[in-house]
Amino acid sequence: MPSSLAILGVMPSVMDFYAQYWNQRPFLVREAIDQAVMERLITPDELAGLSMEETARARLVSCEDWGCQFGPFSEGDFNTAGKPPWSLLVQNVEQFHPDTASLLRAFNFAPRWLMDDIMVGFSTTGGTIGGHVDSYHVFLVQGQGSRRWTIGYEPVHQEEYIDGLDLKILKDPIEGDTVEVSSGDVLYVPPHFAHEGTTLDDALTFSVGFLGPKLSELFDAFGQHLAEHEDLDYRYIGIGLDADSAGFILSSDAVETLRDHFTWSLEKPVFSEWLASFFADSTSDNLVLGSERDDILSVAEFTEALEGCTGLIKPGYVKFSLIPSPPSSTGGTYSLGFNRMTRDIDDNAMAVILSLMKEEVVTVQRMPELLDHPDLLCTLFNHQALEFVD
């Protein structure tokens, strides 16, 4: 079977990425991440320390029996003497280690609003978590050490797994392309492409995952939003029913009316506004995002600090989502989602928001327009979506 893995000289352009690779084809780019960025990422010792914290989601996988232990761990759990190869996996590392969150800037061509987390894996020589299939997009960034990856030639939609394991490991070997990666290399794997990585020498791998919601998750979350706003949560009272709906029979008209209730709510501006907040939600259950700071600033205090400070930056772990408002909206031109909240913004604020989305320091000296939107920026700051940089 012909190779499906593309070997690229540089990361693809935005146009090429969506036209040729997104959901279609895996690719590998050598030394795609600058070593200055790689040197600031979390180290194995720091990762082990993080896995000992109650707030971190961590797993240890043994290659001997595919056993899976869940953290928090202790120092004794990492004693390698006489142990078979093992892997430590920690979720949401971008929310605990700011320099690791800076890795996300390399993937601004991807839909950052679908970003799930950065999972970091450390594995000893020979370590692997077996052949598997993911339902999400993943960019595998190789840190220290080296690994050998096998990526299937085509998507798999009817997987067969080994019975009796906690992990979903494919029963049959993967038929596909095999490559070796080292520090700074990036491997993109679309959903449903089987893949397996094996550590050649003690290695760190940074898995940047992009995961879309299931339809049931959207319905559940939007329904909860409606339930929290009584003026939006209209009750069906059977207007228009006739003799065709007597007893236990729902007439065709009744079914259409109920369907119209769904359609009506989806066509209202509230749906776009809610969707912005939905995609700006954190994937971590342990971090309290969106809450106000302990010491909130007034607009005047914020403006004074902004004028006297080096600048503002949006942390990499903070998710923004920007959705055009529907024509029927009476708010701004866009709905900006941040930390489970939504704020209407107009065209005048777009340049500032787009600049902040680059996750680089923005100063009043370079961008005087910051001072034109003190209320918006103060709200973002007070809800921990922006930080001052000294």
Side-chain angles (χ1 to χ4, degrees):
M1 185 173 291
S3 171
S4 63
L5 177 68
I7 309 295
L8 307 180
V10 296
M11 295 290 262
S13 68
V14 173
M15 297 296 292
D16 286 346
F17 176 65
Y18 291 102
Q20 300 181 43
Y21 303 105
W22 179 254
N23 268 317
Q24 301 171 64
R25 186 179 183 187
F27 65 74
L28 171 66
V29 182
R30 301 285 186 190
E31 299 180 349
I33 309 298
D34 190 274
Q35 283 302 307
V37 175
M38 300 301 300
E39 290 170 2
R40 296 197 302 269
L41 303 182
I42 197 168
T43 65
D45 286 344
E46 291 171 329
L47 188 70
L50 178 57
S51 74
M52 299 177 193
E53 300 290 337
E54 290 283 348
T55 51
R57 291 188 293 168
R59 293 171 289 163
L60 268 175
V61 177
S62 170
C63 294
E64 184 176 45
D65 57 1
W66 300 120
C68 183
Q69 299 173 259
F70 292 89
F73 297 110
S74 65
E75 290 187 14
D77 292 315
F78 302 115
N79 181 5
T80 60
K83 280 190 176 182
W86 53 268
S87 300
L88 170 66
L89 308 174
V90 183
Q91 306 283 153
N92 297 107
V93 174
E94 77 284 354
Q95 296 178 357
F96 298 94
H97 195 270
D99 282 338
T100 296
S102 68
L103 182 63
L104 294 169
R105 298 176 196 167
F107 304 102
N108 279 341
F109 59 86
R112 286 283 301 275
W113 51 276
L114 282 178
M115 201 279 294
D116 187 49
D117 77 332
I118 299 179
M119 182 184 74
V120 182
F122 173 81
S123 53
T124 59
T125 301
T128 178
I129 59 171
H132 58 283
V133 174
D134 294 323
S135 58
Y136 53 84
H137 305 258
V138 64
F139 293 90
L140 299 163
V141 181
Q142 187 59 36
Q144 75 168 53
S146 58
R147 305 194 85 196
R148 178 186 298 114
W149 284 96
T150 299
I151 303 95
Y153 289 127
E154 57 188 16
V156 177
H157 294 288
Q158 292 183 332
E159 311 94 293
E160 292 187 14
Y161 297 109
I162 300 174
D163 294 331
L165 300 180
D166 294 331
L167 301 175
K168 288 188 174 182
I169 298 175
L170 294 172
K171 183 179 295 185
D172 298 320
I174 298 172
E175 294 186 10
D177 299 294
T178 299
V179 291
E180 294 184 8
V181 295
S182 55
S183 181
D185 293 351
V186 173
L187 180 64
Y188 165 67
V189 183
H192 306 298
F193 276 80
H195 52 288
E196 179 177 10
T198 303
T199 300
L200 302 178
D201 50 88
D202 292 2
L204 273 176
T205 301
F206 298 80
S207 301
V208 183
F210 293 75
L211 177 66
K214 291 182 178 180
L215 187 59
S216 58
E217 294 168 344
L218 286 170
F219 272 116
D220 284 347
F222 187 49
Q224 181 62 39
H225 178 76
L226 294 178
E228 293 169 357
H229 297 79
E230 190 172 347
D231 58 323
L232 302 172
D233 196 14
Y234 293 103
R235 182 179 295 278
Y236 172 72
I237 59 174
I239 292 177
L241 291 184
D242 55 25
D244 290 339
S245 288
F248 299 103
I249 299 172
L250 275 77
S251 68
S252 298
D253 287 344
V255 172
E256 286 304 312
T257 299
L258 288 165
R259 182 179 288 115
D260 288 343
H261 274 251
F262 277 94
T263 304
W264 178 88
S265 64
L266 297 177
E267 290 177 345
K268 288 292 182 180
V270 64
F271 178 71
S272 295
E273 295 165 3
W274 164 80
L275 203 60
S277 67
F278 177 84
F279 281 115
D281 198 358
S282 165
T283 59
S284 173
D285 296 328
N286 299 310
L287 293 184
V288 182
L289 297 178
S291 59
E292 287 188 328
R293 297 178 184 275
D294 293 334
D295 298 316
I296 65 172
L297 299 182
S298 67
V299 174
E301 290 170 331
F302 174 82
T303 302
E304 181 181 356
L306 182 61
E307 290 176 327
C309 204
T310 301
L312 279 175
I313 192 168
K314 183 188 85 65
Y317 60 81
V318 173
K319 292 180 73 175
F320 274 8
S321 61
L322 194 63
I323 297 180
S325 298
S328 58
S329 174
T330 58
T333 311
Y334 295 88
S335 290
L336 173 66
F338 60 96
N339 286 352
R340 303 173 185 167
M341 301 181 65
T342 306
R343 175 72 182 250
D344 290 333
I345 65 170
D346 56 27
D347 289 329
N348 294 329
M350 276 299 294
V352 169
I353 295 300
L354 291 175
S355 183
L356 290 168
M357 284 182 173
K358 295 178 182 177
E359 295 168 356
E360 298 172 351
V361 177
V362 183
T363 65
V364 171
Q365 290 73 27
R366 287 173 45 203
M367 195 171 203
E369 301 96 303
L370 289 175
L371 297 177
D372 296 334
H373 309 282
D375 183 66
L376 169 63
L377 297 179
C378 184
T379 298
L380 294 173
F381 175 81
N382 282 335
H383 287 88
Q384 305 186 65
L386 297 177
E387 297 290 343
F388 282 125
V389 178
D390 293 329

